[in-house]
Amino acid sequence: PEQSTAAALQAGRYTTAAVRTAIETTLTPLIGEGPHVTTIVGANVYLTDGTLTRVLATPGTREAVTRAIVDIPGPGLVYWADDLAARTATDDVQLQRARRSYVPGRSGDLMVLYEPYWIVRSNTGTTHGTPWDYDRRVPVWFAGAGIRPGRYWSEVSPTDIAPTLA
């Protein structure tokens, strides 16, 4: 028998509460009582004052938190603020993309990106901003006199539209 699309793709929904619980449960025995998480907005997890400093000062803690998050069905990648702020070259395409979204002082202490076809359960019904092609690719169509017919699959950005129209 054929599998359902969701089963074949391992799609689903998870909650930010699950991420918060994984972080709190992991950190409490390692660095003391919390709360350690102030809020989670989109992919950004904001820690309470001093928590990130204690995490970085306690060997193995960062890795333990990362493991606890990725063990939840749905979240697949965790990047810490120093990973995101770094300007060193990387072959990690998702890290390259995440770095473009990171704003020091405004973004979270860590960024949790979920697996393809997973979303965070919310009251709004959907989310945006994942690094996966199905969510970040937007078709751009040009038609009219002087426009050569064809399909072009190269990667472009919104900044390419104005020169194209010019």
Side-chain angles (χ1 to χ4, degrees), residues 21-40:
T21 299
I23 294 169
E24 295 292 351
T25 302
T26 302
L27 288 180
T28 297
L30 297 172
I31 64 170
E33 288 295 321
H36 303 100
V37 177
T38 59
T39 191
I40 301 174

Side-chain angles (χ1 to χ4, degrees), residues 42-117:
N44 290 285
V45 177
Y46 296 86
L47 301 175
T48 57
D49 287 341
T51 295
L52 182 59
T53 302
R54 289 183 299 178
V55 166
L56 297 176
T58 308
T61 301
R62 175 181 171 138
E63 295 77 12
V65 169
T66 299
R67 269 192 318 275
I69 294 169
V70 298
D71 282 349
I72 302 166
L77 299 169
V78 176
Y79 295 115
W80 292 77
D82 58 342
D83 297 325
L84 298 165
R87 295 294 167 228
T88 55
T90 179
D91 293 333
D92 183 340
V93 174
Q94 302 311 339
L95 177 56
Q96 292 171 10
R97 291 174 180 157
R99 283 178 174 173
R100 291 184 203 125
S101 298
Y102 179 73
V103 179
R106 291 184 61 193
S107 296
D109 296 299
L110 56 149
M111 184 181 286
V112 177
L113 302 176
Y114 36 91
E115 294 288 344
Y117 307 107

Side-chain angles (χ1 to χ4, degrees), residues 99-150:
R99 283 178 174 173
R100 291 184 203 125
S101 298
Y102 179 73
V103 179
R106 291 184 61 193
S107 296
D109 296 299
L110 56 149
M111 184 181 286
V112 177
L113 302 176
Y114 36 91
E115 294 288 344
Y117 307 107
W118 282 80
I119 65 170
V120 177
R121 186 176 302 143
S122 70
N123 293 332
T124 59
T126 189
T127 60
H128 298 284
T130 71
W132 312 114
D133 280 349
Y134 66 84
D135 197 24
R136 66 182 194 82
R137 293 186 68 126
V138 178
V140 177
W141 297 71
F142 294 103
I147 303 292
R148 188 170 37 132

